[in-house]
Amino acid sequence: MWLLLLAVLAGLYLLRRWLREQQQVPGLTDKFVLVTGCDSGFGQLLAQQLDARGLRVLAACLTEPGAARLRAAASPRLHTLLLDVTRSESVAAAATFVRERVGDRGLWGLVNNAGLVHPVAPNEWLRKEDFAQVLDVNLLGLVDVTLAMLPLVRRARGRIVNVASILGRIAFYGGGYCPSKYGVEAFSDSLRRELQPFGVHVAIVEPGYFHTGMTDISYNLKELERLWEQARPDVRESYGQPYYESCKERAAAGGQRTLPRSPCSSSPCSSSPSSPVREFFAESLRTRCSSNLALVTGCMEHALTAAHPRTRYSAGWDARLRYIPLSYLPTALADRLLAPPLARPAQAP
């Protein structure tokens, strides 16, 4: 009886939530939205989606060819601008451009989508400049753009949508990407609380693994080779060639549905023995990324257009069923489940 009652209450709660989330903001065709990183991937698709819904899209691209491609695929309502989020003068020029377009109506939506993944490698292979390169785009650039646009968003009592990642919940590999996304989560949380009195809503989108330019396998392999070659001789000696080769094998398997032959079969491994549970959590690092980018852009669109948006959006089943739950596990258990099947470093005791 009690189980039945709980099931009914849960069903009613989910129904109420679903009905609330179907309600839309009125007057969308009069609202301006700025989206960064629109040369390709999520940003390009989102700009087209919002344009198709009649919103006034201001699409920020890093390059003119990227902007031209987007203009050719969109309606005359969509305007493009060039923006390098790592240069404050470019951000200031973009703020002036947006201010002239929106006028007294303000900026309804800001989507901080521009991002960079590489360099990605074991931390000891990298230099300070490698970390700074990614942090400058993913975190400091996002902060700079947000601060520049805040007066316009406050005027419209609008929305800010920051693209984080499941890697802002749990870190898989070295480099600046994971720290940058942890930073996006922290900045978004503090910003959300500060802007609540102004009627501004801040949402975080946490995608899982999706097939974009950032997940291109051939590019990942070239980057890994470059970083191994730039590592200090003593570092390469400490890790050894078999360790590097196992890193390459793992990166090359990123687009395969089946698991490759583990380097553990020919080299002693530092990780724990394989198990079905551990393989379940490690699998998406070696399986094909989702090509359905609309799962992510749909979350962004809902955060901008719904009368009752969510605070956090998890995009992709791997994010919802694997990595977000994994982030709540005890650290020691998460470490065992995520330990990659790499060759043991040459000088590991």
PDB file of all heavy atoms in Angstrom, residues 62 81-99 136 140-141 144-145 148-149:
ATOM      1  N   LEU A  62      34.584  32.862 -34.149  1.00  0.00           N
ATOM      2  CA  LEU A  62      36.001  33.204 -34.047  1.00  0.00           C
ATOM      3  C   LEU A  62      36.562  33.620 -35.394  1.00  0.00           C
ATOM      4  O   LEU A  62      37.451  34.467 -35.462  1.00  0.00           O
ATOM      5  CB  LEU A  62      36.786  32.011 -33.502  1.00  0.00           C
ATOM      6  CG  LEU A  62      38.297  32.188 -33.337  1.00  0.00           C
ATOM      7  CD1 LEU A  62      38.609  33.324 -32.343  1.00  0.00           C
ATOM      8  CD2 LEU A  62      38.949  30.894 -32.898  1.00  0.00           C
ATOM      9  N   LEU A  81      28.968  38.210 -35.525  1.00  0.00           N
ATOM     10  CA  LEU A  81      30.046  39.099 -35.128  1.00  0.00           C
ATOM     11  C   LEU A  81      31.266  38.255 -34.827  1.00  0.00           C
ATOM     12  O   LEU A  81      31.144  37.077 -34.480  1.00  0.00           O
ATOM     13  CB  LEU A  81      29.669  39.938 -33.909  1.00  0.00           C
ATOM     14  CG  LEU A  81      29.398  39.175 -32.589  1.00  0.00           C
ATOM     15  CD1 LEU A  81      29.770  40.063 -31.406  1.00  0.00           C
ATOM     16  CD2 LEU A  81      27.933  38.774 -32.486  1.00  0.00           C
ATOM     17  N   LEU A  82      32.440  38.832 -34.986  1.00  0.00           N
ATOM     18  CA  LEU A  82      33.671  38.124 -34.678  1.00  0.00           C
ATOM     19  C   LEU A  82      34.047  38.385 -33.228  1.00  0.00           C
ATOM     20  O   LEU A  82      34.016  39.527 -32.766  1.00  0.00           O
ATOM     21  CB  LEU A  82      34.793  38.580 -35.612  1.00  0.00           C
ATOM     22  CG  LEU A  82      34.576  38.276 -37.097  1.00  0.00           C
ATOM     23  CD1 LEU A  82      35.792  38.713 -37.897  1.00  0.00           C
ATOM     24  CD2 LEU A  82      34.281  36.795 -37.331  1.00  0.00           C
ATOM     25  N   LEU A  83      34.389  37.318 -32.523  1.00  0.00           N
ATOM     26  CA  LEU A  83      34.717  37.431 -31.107  1.00  0.00           C
ATOM     27  C   LEU A  83      35.784  36.425 -30.735  1.00  0.00           C
ATOM     28  O   LEU A  83      35.622  35.225 -30.944  1.00  0.00           O
ATOM     29  CB  LEU A  83      33.460  37.199 -30.253  1.00  0.00           C
ATOM     30  CG  LEU A  83      33.668  37.093 -28.741  1.00  0.00           C
ATOM     31  CD1 LEU A  83      34.261  38.379 -28.176  1.00  0.00           C
ATOM     32  CD2 LEU A  83      32.362  36.752 -28.033  1.00  0.00           C
ATOM     33  N   ASP A  84      36.877  36.928 -30.186  1.00  0.00           N
ATOM     34  CA  ASP A  84      37.909  36.099 -29.574  1.00  0.00           C
ATOM     35  C   ASP A  84      37.804  36.314 -28.073  1.00  0.00           C
ATOM     36  O   ASP A  84      38.170  37.375 -27.567  1.00  0.00           O
ATOM     37  CB  ASP A  84      39.289  36.509 -30.089  1.00  0.00           C
ATOM     38  CG  ASP A  84      40.415  35.659 -29.511  1.00  0.00           C
ATOM     39  OD1 ASP A  84      40.163  34.898 -28.553  1.00  0.00           O
ATOM     40  OD2 ASP A  84      41.555  35.762 -30.005  1.00  0.00           O
ATOM     41  N   VAL A  85      37.282  35.328 -27.356  1.00  0.00           N
ATOM     42  CA  VAL A  85      36.987  35.513 -25.933  1.00  0.00           C
ATOM     43  C   VAL A  85      38.243  35.679 -25.090  1.00  0.00           C
ATOM     44  O   VAL A  85      38.158  36.067 -23.926  1.00  0.00           O
ATOM     45  CB  VAL A  85      36.138  34.339 -25.385  1.00  0.00           C
ATOM     46  CG1 VAL A  85      34.818  34.240 -26.128  1.00  0.00           C
ATOM     47  CG2 VAL A  85      36.907  33.026 -25.448  1.00  0.00           C
ATOM     48  N   THR A  86      39.416  35.388 -25.661  1.00  0.00           N
ATOM     49  CA  THR A  86      40.658  35.533 -24.901  1.00  0.00           C
ATOM     50  C   THR A  86      41.224  36.946 -24.970  1.00  0.00           C
ATOM     51  O   THR A  86      42.194  37.254 -24.274  1.00  0.00           O
ATOM     52  CB  THR A  86      41.734  34.558 -25.418  1.00  0.00           C
ATOM     53  OG1 THR A  86      42.116  34.924 -26.756  1.00  0.00           O
ATOM     54  CG2 THR A  86      41.216  33.130 -25.418  1.00  0.00           C
ATOM     55  N   ARG A  87      40.637  37.815 -25.795  1.00  0.00           N
ATOM     56  CA  ARG A  87      41.133  39.183 -25.949  1.00  0.00           C
ATOM     57  C   ARG A  87      40.086  40.158 -25.424  1.00  0.00           C
ATOM     58  O   ARG A  87      38.974  40.237 -25.949  1.00  0.00           O
ATOM     59  CB  ARG A  87      41.444  39.482 -27.409  1.00  0.00           C
ATOM     60  CG  ARG A  87      42.578  38.633 -27.979  1.00  0.00           C
ATOM     61  CD  ARG A  87      42.753  38.823 -29.478  1.00  0.00           C
ATOM     62  NE  ARG A  87      42.839  40.239 -29.820  1.00  0.00           N
ATOM     63  CZ  ARG A  87      41.993  40.879 -30.638  1.00  0.00           C
ATOM     64  NH1 ARG A  87      40.967  40.223 -31.170  1.00  0.00           N
ATOM     65  NH2 ARG A  87      42.160  42.155 -30.905  1.00  0.00           N
ATOM     66  N   SER A  88      40.430  40.894 -24.385  1.00  0.00           N
ATOM     67  CA  SER A  88      39.474  41.802 -23.755  1.00  0.00           C
ATOM     68  C   SER A  88      38.994  42.882 -24.714  1.00  0.00           C
ATOM     69  O   SER A  88      37.839  43.325 -24.632  1.00  0.00           O
ATOM     70  CB  SER A  88      40.099  42.447 -22.510  1.00  0.00           C
ATOM     71  OG  SER A  88      40.297  41.474 -21.508  1.00  0.00           O
ATOM     72  N   GLU A  89      39.864  43.337 -25.633  1.00  0.00           N
ATOM     73  CA  GLU A  89      39.431  44.353 -26.592  1.00  0.00           C
ATOM     74  C   GLU A  89      38.376  43.792 -27.543  1.00  0.00           C
ATOM     75  O   GLU A  89      37.464  44.505 -27.967  1.00  0.00           O
ATOM     76  CB  GLU A  89      40.619  44.905 -27.376  1.00  0.00           C
ATOM     77  CG  GLU A  89      41.429  43.887 -28.153  1.00  0.00           C
ATOM     78  CD  GLU A  89      42.565  43.277 -27.370  1.00  0.00           C
ATOM     79  OE1 GLU A  89      42.471  43.220 -26.125  1.00  0.00           O
ATOM     80  OE2 GLU A  89      43.556  42.850 -28.008  1.00  0.00           O
ATOM     81  N   SER A  90      38.494  42.497 -27.885  1.00  0.00           N
ATOM     82  CA  SER A  90      37.484  41.866 -28.725  1.00  0.00           C
ATOM     83  C   SER A  90      36.164  41.723 -27.972  1.00  0.00           C
ATOM     84  O   SER A  90      35.084  41.934 -28.537  1.00  0.00           O
ATOM     85  CB  SER A  90      37.975  40.494 -29.183  1.00  0.00           C
ATOM     86  OG  SER A  90      37.017  39.842 -29.987  1.00  0.00           O
ATOM     87  N   VAL A  91      36.250  41.386 -26.690  1.00  0.00           N
ATOM     88  CA  VAL A  91      35.037  41.274 -25.861  1.00  0.00           C
ATOM     89  C   VAL A  91      34.362  42.640 -25.726  1.00  0.00           C
ATOM     90  O   VAL A  91      33.132  42.758 -25.819  1.00  0.00           O
ATOM     91  CB  VAL A  91      35.383  40.698 -24.478  1.00  0.00           C
ATOM     92  CG1 VAL A  91      34.167  40.728 -23.557  1.00  0.00           C
ATOM     93  CG2 VAL A  91      35.908  39.264 -24.613  1.00  0.00           C
ATOM     94  N   ALA A  92      35.142  43.695 -25.523  1.00  0.00           N
ATOM     95  CA  ALA A  92      34.577  45.046 -25.401  1.00  0.00           C
ATOM     96  C   ALA A  92      33.900  45.462 -26.698  1.00  0.00           C
ATOM     97  O   ALA A  92      32.814  46.078 -26.688  1.00  0.00           O
ATOM     98  CB  ALA A  92      35.675  46.037 -25.023  1.00  0.00           C
ATOM     99  N   ALA A  93      34.521  45.146 -27.843  1.00  0.00           N
ATOM    100  CA  ALA A  93      33.914  45.477 -29.129  1.00  0.00           C
ATOM    101  C   ALA A  93      32.613  44.709 -29.330  1.00  0.00           C
ATOM    102  O   ALA A  93      31.627  45.253 -29.864  1.00  0.00           O
ATOM    103  CB  ALA A  93      34.899  45.168 -30.255  1.00  0.00           C
ATOM    104  N   ALA A  94      32.585  43.448 -28.893  1.00  0.00           N
ATOM    105  CA  ALA A  94      31.358  42.658 -29.000  1.00  0.00           C
ATOM    106  C   ALA A  94      30.260  43.243 -28.130  1.00  0.00           C
ATOM    107  O   ALA A  94      29.082  43.279 -28.525  1.00  0.00           O
ATOM    108  CB  ALA A  94      31.634  41.209 -28.605  1.00  0.00           C
ATOM    109  N   ALA A  95      30.612  43.719 -26.931  1.00  0.00           N
ATOM    110  CA  ALA A  95      29.617  44.326 -26.045  1.00  0.00           C
ATOM    111  C   ALA A  95      29.021  45.580 -26.690  1.00  0.00           C
ATOM    112  O   ALA A  95      27.809  45.828 -26.588  1.00  0.00           O
ATOM    113  CB  ALA A  95      30.251  44.664 -24.703  1.00  0.00           C
ATOM    114  N   THR A  96      29.851  46.376 -27.357  1.00  0.00           N
ATOM    115  CA  THR A  96      29.354  47.563 -28.055  1.00  0.00           C
ATOM    116  C   THR A  96      28.419  47.162 -29.189  1.00  0.00           C
ATOM    117  O   THR A  96      27.352  47.764 -29.382  1.00  0.00           O
ATOM    118  CB  THR A  96      30.532  48.379 -28.611  1.00  0.00           C
ATOM    119  OG1 THR A  96      31.372  48.791 -27.531  1.00  0.00           O
ATOM    120  CG2 THR A  96      30.036  49.600 -29.362  1.00  0.00           C
ATOM    121  N   PHE A  97      28.805  46.143 -29.952  1.00  0.00           N
ATOM    122  CA  PHE A  97      27.978  45.634 -31.045  1.00  0.00           C
ATOM    123  C   PHE A  97      26.616  45.197 -30.530  1.00  0.00           C
ATOM    124  O   PHE A  97      25.563  45.558 -31.100  1.00  0.00           O
ATOM    125  CB  PHE A  97      28.699  44.463 -31.722  1.00  0.00           C
ATOM    126  CG  PHE A  97      27.928  43.799 -32.815  1.00  0.00           C
ATOM    127  CD1 PHE A  97      28.085  44.192 -34.134  1.00  0.00           C
ATOM    128  CD2 PHE A  97      27.043  42.756 -32.541  1.00  0.00           C
ATOM    129  CE1 PHE A  97      27.372  43.563 -35.159  1.00  0.00           C
ATOM    130  CE2 PHE A  97      26.324  42.128 -33.546  1.00  0.00           C
ATOM    131  CZ  PHE A  97      26.493  42.532 -34.864  1.00  0.00           C
ATOM    132  N   VAL A  98      26.613  44.427 -29.459  1.00  0.00           N
ATOM    133  CA  VAL A  98      25.351  43.924 -28.903  1.00  0.00           C
ATOM    134  C   VAL A  98      24.506  45.075 -28.359  1.00  0.00           C
ATOM    135  O   VAL A  98      23.283  45.128 -28.566  1.00  0.00           O
ATOM    136  CB  VAL A  98      25.636  42.884 -27.799  1.00  0.00           C
ATOM    137  CG1 VAL A  98      24.343  42.473 -27.093  1.00  0.00           C
ATOM    138  CG2 VAL A  98      26.337  41.664 -28.382  1.00  0.00           C
ATOM    139  N   ARG A  99      25.132  46.009 -27.656  1.00  0.00           N
ATOM    140  CA  ARG A  99      24.407  47.134 -27.080  1.00  0.00           C
ATOM    141  C   ARG A  99      23.696  47.946 -28.161  1.00  0.00           C
ATOM    142  O   ARG A  99      22.543  48.377 -27.985  1.00  0.00           O
ATOM    143  CB  ARG A  99      25.374  48.029 -26.303  1.00  0.00           C
ATOM    144  CG  ARG A  99      24.698  49.089 -25.434  1.00  0.00           C
ATOM    145  CD  ARG A  99      25.723  49.906 -24.672  1.00  0.00           C
ATOM    146  NE  ARG A  99      26.598  49.054 -23.862  1.00  0.00           N
ATOM    147  CZ  ARG A  99      27.874  48.857 -24.113  1.00  0.00           C
ATOM    148  NH1 ARG A  99      28.473  49.447 -25.145  1.00  0.00           N
ATOM    149  NH2 ARG A  99      28.601  48.068 -23.336  1.00  0.00           N
ATOM    150  N   ASP A 136      42.186  30.023 -20.466  1.00  0.00           N
ATOM    151  CA  ASP A 136      41.940  31.344 -21.005  1.00  0.00           C
ATOM    152  C   ASP A 136      40.663  31.386 -21.832  1.00  0.00           C
ATOM    153  O   ASP A 136      39.936  32.380 -21.832  1.00  0.00           O
ATOM    154  CB  ASP A 136      43.132  31.777 -21.865  1.00  0.00           C
ATOM    155  CG  ASP A 136      43.291  33.288 -21.910  1.00  0.00           C
ATOM    156  OD1 ASP A 136      42.734  33.974 -21.030  1.00  0.00           O
ATOM    157  OD2 ASP A 136      43.985  33.783 -22.824  1.00  0.00           O
ATOM    158  N   LEU A 140      38.339  31.930 -18.161  1.00  0.00           N
ATOM    159  CA  LEU A 140      38.559  33.371 -18.094  1.00  0.00           C
ATOM    160  C   LEU A 140      37.825  34.100 -19.218  1.00  0.00           C
ATOM    161  O   LEU A 140      37.279  35.189 -19.009  1.00  0.00           O
ATOM    162  CB  LEU A 140      40.052  33.674 -18.150  1.00  0.00           C
ATOM    163  CG  LEU A 140      40.883  33.090 -17.000  1.00  0.00           C
ATOM    164  CD1 LEU A 140      42.347  33.458 -17.155  1.00  0.00           C
ATOM    165  CD2 LEU A 140      40.351  33.576 -15.657  1.00  0.00           C
ATOM    166  N   GLY A 141      37.795  33.500 -20.406  1.00  0.00           N
ATOM    167  CA  GLY A 141      37.037  34.104 -21.497  1.00  0.00           C
ATOM    168  C   GLY A 141      35.553  34.142 -21.197  1.00  0.00           C
ATOM    169  O   GLY A 141      34.863  35.138 -21.468  1.00  0.00           O
ATOM    170  N   ASP A 144      34.944  36.909 -18.711  1.00  0.00           N
ATOM    171  CA  ASP A 144      35.065  38.229 -19.340  1.00  0.00           C
ATOM    172  C   ASP A 144      33.814  38.571 -20.140  1.00  0.00           C
ATOM    173  O   ASP A 144      33.267  39.676 -20.034  1.00  0.00           O
ATOM    174  CB  ASP A 144      36.304  38.244 -20.241  1.00  0.00           C
ATOM    175  CG  ASP A 144      36.771  39.655 -20.558  1.00  0.00           C
ATOM    176  OD1 ASP A 144      36.238  40.623 -19.966  1.00  0.00           O
ATOM    177  OD2 ASP A 144      37.684  39.811 -21.398  1.00  0.00           O
ATOM    178  N   VAL A 145      33.346  37.634 -20.949  1.00  0.00           N
ATOM    179  CA  VAL A 145      32.142  37.871 -21.749  1.00  0.00           C
ATOM    180  C   VAL A 145      30.934  38.105 -20.848  1.00  0.00           C
ATOM    181  O   VAL A 145      30.123  39.020 -21.081  1.00  0.00           O
ATOM    182  CB  VAL A 145      31.883  36.690 -22.709  1.00  0.00           C
ATOM    183  CG1 VAL A 145      30.517  36.831 -23.389  1.00  0.00           C
ATOM    184  CG2 VAL A 145      32.984  36.592 -23.753  1.00  0.00           C
ATOM    185  N   ALA A 148      30.977  41.534 -19.239  1.00  0.00           N
ATOM    186  CA  ALA A 148      30.729  42.585 -20.220  1.00  0.00           C
ATOM    187  C   ALA A 148      29.255  42.676 -20.601  1.00  0.00           C
ATOM    188  O   ALA A 148      28.749  43.768 -20.886  1.00  0.00           O
ATOM    189  CB  ALA A 148      31.583  42.343 -21.464  1.00  0.00           C
ATOM    190  N   MET A 149      28.553  41.545 -20.609  1.00  0.00           N
ATOM    191  CA  MET A 149      27.154  41.520 -21.052  1.00  0.00           C
ATOM    192  C   MET A 149      26.156  41.632 -19.904  1.00  0.00           C
ATOM    193  O   MET A 149      24.958  41.811 -20.145  1.00  0.00           O
ATOM    194  CB  MET A 149      26.872  40.220 -21.829  1.00  0.00           C
ATOM    195  CG  MET A 149      27.769  40.005 -23.034  1.00  0.00           C
ATOM    196  SD  MET A 149      27.607  41.304 -24.288  1.00  0.00           S
ATOM    197  CE  MET A 149      28.995  40.899 -25.354  1.00  0.00           C
TER     198      MET A 149
END
